[in-house]
């Protein structure tokens, strides 16, 4: 699975700024920070992707490029606070 494969086709001209792994919902998650342009507006998007109990989860935080760092701590805090109650 891939963070990039979860990107809509109209945003495929995005640029990967950073990528890595982290723990979300008690499992390993892959993440990527993308820069993208939508109708001439620049955005940064943080996307986490993880698999748990056979289900895929995609969590995104997005803001205009010039505002993103002001939201980054909130995005990280919310994403890392996720706890699902999935049962097989």
């Amino acid at each position: 699975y891939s963070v990039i494969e979860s990107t809509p086709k109209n945003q495929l001209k995005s640029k990967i700024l950073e990528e890595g792994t982290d723990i979300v919902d008690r499992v390993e998650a892959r993440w990527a920070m993308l820069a993208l342009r939508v109708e001439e507006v620049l955005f940064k998007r943080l996307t986490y992707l993880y698999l748990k109990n056979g289900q895929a989860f995609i969590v995104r935080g997005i803001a205009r490029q010039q505002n993103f760092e002001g939201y980054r701590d909130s995005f990280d805090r919310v994403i890392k606070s996720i706890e699902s109650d999935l049962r097989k």
Side-chain angles (χ1 to χ4, degrees), residues 16-69:
I16 300 172
L17 302 175
E18 303 173 53
E19 59 185 321
T21 60
D22 206 341
I23 300 298
V24 175
D25 199 5
R26 298 182 301 272
V27 296
E28 185 174 273
R30 296 181 185 186
W31 64 267
M33 173 74 68
L34 302 169
L36 55 110
R37 181 184 304 266
V38 178
E39 296 181 12
E40 304 307 313
V41 179
L42 296 174
F43 291 91
K44 278 188 174 179
R45 187 181 79 202
L46 177 62
T47 301
Y48 277 76
L49 173 64
Y50 65 97
L51 301 175
K52 186 170 183 178
N53 295 334
Q55 291 185 311
F57 294 83
I58 299 171
V59 184
R60 294 183 173 137
I62 188 168
R64 286 180 180 242
Q65 185 171 1
Q66 69 267 25
N67 300 330
F68 187 86
E69 290 309 315

